[in-house]
């Protein structure tokens, strides 16, 4: 086990958000700009794959990244 496990052991315990909603762990993925939207600015399959990989890796909180209004912004 990692030497700092005792300091962060709560990261791997479930979190009860509501009586009927429990999150398996407390691992959080902060928003970042990854520039994988479709050419019209919509949610692309590549973007979906990216976030699926994050979730399948054990992250339970994901906040979506930036959104641009135009190519010039």
């Amino acid at each position: 086990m990692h030497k700092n496990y005792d300091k962060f052991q709560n990261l791997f315990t479930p979190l009860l958000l509501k009586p009927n909603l429990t999150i398996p762990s407390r691992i959080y993925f902060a928003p970042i700009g990854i520039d994988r939207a479709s050419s019209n600015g919509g949610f692309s399959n590549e973007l979906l794959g990216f976030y699926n990989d994050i979730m399948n890796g054990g992250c339970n909180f994901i906040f979506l990244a930036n959104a641009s209004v135009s190519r010039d912004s």
Side-chain angles (χ1 to χ4, degrees):
M1 191 62 54
H2 191 274
K3 66 180 181 175
N4 288 323
Y5 177 77
D6 291 337
K7 293 179 184 178
F8 304 105
Q9 62 186 346
N10 287 336
L11 282 175
F12 305 102
T13 60
L15 177 64
L16 178 66
L17 295 178
K18 297 188 330 188
N20 59 347
L21 180 59
T22 301
I23 306 299
S25 75
R26 301 162 190 231
I27 299 188
Y28 167 85
F29 183 81
I32 60 170
I34 60 168
D35 300 326
R36 297 293 181 246
S38 65
S39 60
N40 68 357
F43 201 85
S44 68
N45 286 332
E46 188 176 3
L47 198 52
L48 178 62
F50 173 81
Y51 285 115
N52 275 332
D53 288 345
I54 298 298
M55 289 185 291
N56 290 334
C59 187
N60 296 118
F61 290 99
I62 296 177
F63 291 84
L64 299 182
N66 62 310
S68 297
V69 176
S70 73
R71 290 179 182 254
D72 298 330
S73 62

